[in-house]
Amino acid sequence: MRKIIAVGLGTLSALFTLTLFAGSAQAGGSQGEVSERQYRILLAQCRHADAPAVRTRCRASVRASYRVGRADPTLDCRTYSGVTVCGVLPLSEAERACIDDSVAGGLSYRRAEVECYVL
């Protein structure tokens, strides 16, 4: 029963994060404009989401929230361990726990976020 509740909470957390992710680009009701490279990164990072349904929603959110145009210098992009991600990541509860453990072990939050999400 605890496992079912934990999985459910993780899914809700990921959905909430995706909602924030989509909403941040659509402030004012329009799609955010990003470079082709930023758009490819946003779509590619969805493959690391925990569940197939979350990956699908992530890609749909990117397509609905962004369009290719000029580069967005305010989009938070970072590269660690050879992987680049941008914006808010749809983290599960397990990934959040991984981040907390990594930060407690001395890793920077931004690096831990990327590594726990990707690996």
Side-chain angles (χ1 to χ4, degrees):
M1 184 67 164
R2 287 182 184 174
K3 190 173 186 178
I4 291 170
I5 292 171
V7 169
L9 289 175
T11 301
L12 285 175
S13 174
L15 288 175
F16 178 71
T17 303
L18 282 174
T19 302
L20 288 176
F21 175 63
S24 65
Q26 291 184 325
S30 65
Q31 288 181 310
E33 193 171 307
V34 295
S35 70
E36 184 176 340
R37 180 177 183 275
Q38 289 172 320
Y39 190 80
R40 282 194 319 263
I41 290 167
L42 287 162
L43 280 176
Q45 74 193 28
C46 292
R47 74 174 177 260
H48 299 292
D50 271 357
V54 177
R55 288 189 289 273
T56 299
R57 283 190 296 272
C58 179
R59 289 183 189 107
S61 177
V62 169
R63 289 182 182 110
S65 301
Y66 297 98
R67 64 184 169 83
V68 175
R70 288 186 173 173
D72 180 355
T74 65
L75 186 63
D76 180 26
C77 295
R78 56 253 186 232
T79 302
Y80 295 102
S81 300
V83 178
T84 302
V85 297
C86 294
V88 178
L89 301 175
L91 301 169
S92 68
E93 287 302 314
E95 290 163 338
R96 290 180 195 282
C98 172
I99 292 168
D100 291 342
D101 289 344
S102 297
V103 169
L107 210 56
S108 73
Y109 179 85
R110 289 171 58 81
R111 183 177 189 121
E113 180 185 38
V114 173
E115 290 188 0
C116 291
Y117 179 68
V118 172
L119 307 174

